[in-house]
Amino acid sequence: MIPDLQASFACEDVRVEASGAHTIVGIVNFIGAPTLPIQVLKMCVWTRWSSGVGQFEQETRLVAPDEETILATATTQFRLENENSHTTNVNIFGGLQFKEDGAHHVEILLDGEMKLHFPLRVILIQPAPPSA
């Protein structure tokens, strides 16, 4: 039975507490830069699956605005024992370099099939003029 993708988002960090709970740090709405290219030291993609049974492979991709160039990819194997099971996958990408502004995308695939495709915008931000 194919699992449901409950949620996925890009963030700055994910911490696993002693209780097993996840603390999400800095959900990323966009990446702002005064100049390009910009290097992001760490970015995480948090993904939660539930209500499936079996062995699965998640592929997480960061894709350039041309929708063809893959900037980074990670593969995670996971197993769900029964329809009440769930799993949370965290992919950590280090040293990402964004060379152009525009809508990059995060793609989540399950066993090679696209399940989610969402934008991650890189925006050039002009510094504020000095106040008089």
Side-chain angles (χ1 to χ4, degrees):
M1 185 163 70
I2 304 296
D4 296 325
L5 177 58
Q6 287 186 310
S8 182
F9 49 81
C11 58
E12 294 175 3
D13 198 9
V14 178
R15 299 184 187 135
V16 180
E17 307 300 335
S19 66
H22 288 182
T23 297
I24 308 303
V25 179
I27 293 177
V28 177
N29 296 312
F30 66 90
I31 297 168
T35 62
L36 294 172
I38 183 170
Q39 185 156 348
V40 175
L41 297 179
K42 182 179 185 182
M43 179 179 295
C44 300
V45 176
W46 184 96
T47 307
R48 182 175 165 116
W49 300 91
S50 68
S51 305
V53 177
Q55 181 73 29
F56 304 97
E57 179 178 273
Q58 173 187 321
E59 182 180 0
T60 304
R61 298 179 188 163
L62 299 176
V63 183
D66 67 8
E67 295 286 333
E68 293 181 17
T69 305
I70 297 175
L71 303 177
T73 187
T75 303
T76 306
Q77 303 286 328
F78 67 96
R79 179 168 187 73
L80 296 171
E81 296 297 329
N82 59 59
E83 61 275 357
N84 296 316
S85 299
H86 67 272
T87 192
T88 302
N89 298 330
V90 179
N91 298 115
I92 301 170
F93 298 98
L96 290 171
Q97 188 175 65
F98 295 93
K99 296 179 180 179
E100 59 187 312
D101 62 342
H104 295 66
H105 285 87
V106 176
E107 297 180 342
I108 306 296
L109 293 85
L110 182 70
D111 294 338
E113 182 180 328
M114 182 79 66
K115 293 296 180 181
L116 186 63
H117 173 88
F118 63 90
L120 177 64
R121 296 194 55 82
V122 174
I123 300 171
L124 282 171
I125 297 176
Q126 301 302 319
S131 57

